């Protein structure tokens, strides 16, 4: 079946809209910026996939660009968990910074290795990329360690935190991560047409993550507004 860009375009519009909305409002800037960076990267992948599947760009640099875009997602997810987990700040930041450094090296590698992606085939609403081994095996290990790190560290943060708002924010990361990773794995494992299309299918199911991140940003905005109001009212109450 021929590729249809409708799902990718609608998803990208939603993710970009949420990011713009969040950047223009209140909230702790590190958390808002990291969350919006994840949303914009998810949107960027959708746009790149449309370009790959809708034109002759599939034989150029665009397939490599698709992998470059998604490379940053697990490290930024780990960074967001670190920013939401003050009780494990040093450990979580160290992990996220290490993964960001590895991601930078991988991005440089992909950019200069034209053989990293040898081909792309588009079908209905997703793309399959041919990536020769052992290159992709190393990339896959990096990516899955990052994704499972998001799940494990956010779950640990929920359990260890004694702050209700912090727990709520971390739960959105945890549920959002599970919500797109688990169905993507099941589809690529048990639905024949999806075999070999894990990167693309992950990013399409990441719409679930985007919804949870939008909710996270909403909670963060409300909490920031509440704290601001309390500070403004404090002198009057003391008087």
């Amino acid at each position: 079946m021929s590729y249809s860009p409708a799902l990718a375009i609608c998803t990208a519009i939603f993710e970009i809209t949420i990011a713009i909305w969040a950047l223009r409002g209140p909230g702790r800037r590190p958390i808002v910026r990291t969350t919006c960076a994840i949303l914009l990267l998810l949107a960027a992948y959708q746009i790149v996939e449309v370009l790959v599947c809708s034109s002759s760009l599939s034989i150029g640099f665009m397939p490599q660009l698709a992998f470059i875009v998604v490379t940053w997602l697990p490290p930024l997810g780990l960074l967001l968990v670190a920013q939401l987990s003050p009780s494990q700040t040093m450990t979580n930041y160290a992990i996220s910074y290490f993964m960001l450094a590895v991601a930078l090296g991988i991005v440089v590698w992909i950019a200069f290795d034209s053989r990293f992606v040898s081909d792309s085939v588009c079908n209905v609403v997703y793309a399959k990329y041919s990536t020769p081994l052992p290159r992709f095996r190393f990339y896959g290990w990096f990516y899955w360690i990052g994704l499972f790190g998001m799940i494990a560290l956010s779950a640990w943060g929920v359990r260890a935190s004694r702050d209700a708002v912090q727990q709520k924010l971390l739960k959105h990361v945890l549920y959002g991560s599970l919500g797109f990773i688990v169905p993507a794995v099941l589809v690529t494992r048990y639905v024949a047409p999806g075999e070999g299309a894990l990167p693309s299918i992950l990013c399409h199911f990441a719409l679930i993550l985007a919804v949870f991140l939008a909710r996270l940003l909403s909670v963060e905005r409300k909490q920031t507004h509440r704290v601001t109001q309390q500070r403004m009212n404090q002198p009057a109450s003391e008087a």
Side-chain angles (χ1 to χ4, degrees):
M1 297 177 66
S2 61
Y3 176 80
S4 172
L7 176 61
I9 292 173
C10 291
T11 301
I13 291 172
F14 170 76
E15 291 160 348
I16 293 171
T17 300
I18 295 299
I20 293 173
W21 168 78
L23 289 170
R24 297 178 64 180
R28 288 170 288 181
R29 290 296 94 185
I31 292 173
V32 171
R33 292 192 189 105
T34 302
T35 306
C36 290
I38 294 171
L39 288 168
L40 291 174
L41 284 169
L42 289 172
Y45 175 82
Q46 305 296 339
I47 295 170
V48 171
E49 183 173 288
V50 170
L51 293 174
V52 167
C53 293
S54 302
S55 70
S56 60
L57 294 173
S58 60
I59 60 174
F61 184 72
M62 282 297 169
Q64 288 167 261
L65 182 59
F67 279 90
I68 288 174
V69 168
V70 299
T71 296
W72 295 107
L73 293 172
L76 286 175
L78 292 170
L79 179 60
L80 178 60
V81 172
Q83 292 167 340
L84 296 172
S85 307
S87 58
Q88 298 94 28
T89 297
M90 292 183 62
T91 300
N92 286 356
Y93 271 112
I95 293 172
S96 63
Y97 289 152
F98 172 76
M99 291 294 285
L100 283 166
V102 175
L104 178 60
I106 290 176
V107 164
V108 174
W109 167 34
I110 295 174
F112 288 95
D113 186 357
S114 60
R115 298 174 297 173
F116 184 87
V117 185
S118 59
D119 191 19
S120 59
V121 178
C122 301
N123 184 14
V124 191
V125 293
Y126 60 86
K128 292 184 180 181
Y129 300 95
S130 298
T131 51
L133 296 175
R135 292 177 178 82
F136 192 67
R137 183 175 290 117
F138 173 78
Y139 183 89
W141 275 106
F142 159 81
Y143 209 82
W144 282 110
I145 288 172
L147 292 181
F148 285 124
M150 288 174 60
I151 295 172
L153 294 178
S154 59
W156 177 259
V158 170
R159 181 175 181 180
S161 176
R162 295 296 178 265
D163 182 270
V165 174
Q166 181 184 343
Q167 283 185 333
K168 183 181 291 187
L169 295 174
L170 284 166
K171 283 179 180 179
H172 282 86
V173 178
L174 174 60
Y175 298 156
S177 300
L178 290 171
F180 88 96
I181 294 171
V182 173
V185 171
L186 291 176
V187 167
T188 54
R189 175 74 175 175
Y190 297 109
V191 180
E195 293 179 5
L198 184 59
S200 176
I201 290 175
L202 270 172
C203 284
H204 286 303
F205 273 112
L207 175 60
I208 298 171
L209 174 64
V211 171
F212 277 97
L213 292 180
R215 178 58 183 161
L216 181 153
L217 289 166
S218 177
V219 173
E220 174 66 18
R221 174 177 285 200
K222 291 177 181 177
Q223 176 63 15
T224 302
H225 179 72
R226 186 179 299 114
V227 171
T228 301
Q229 288 297 111
Q230 289 175 348
R231 290 175 179 173
M232 291 176 63
N233 294 333
Q234 188 174 2
S237 60
E238 291 178 351

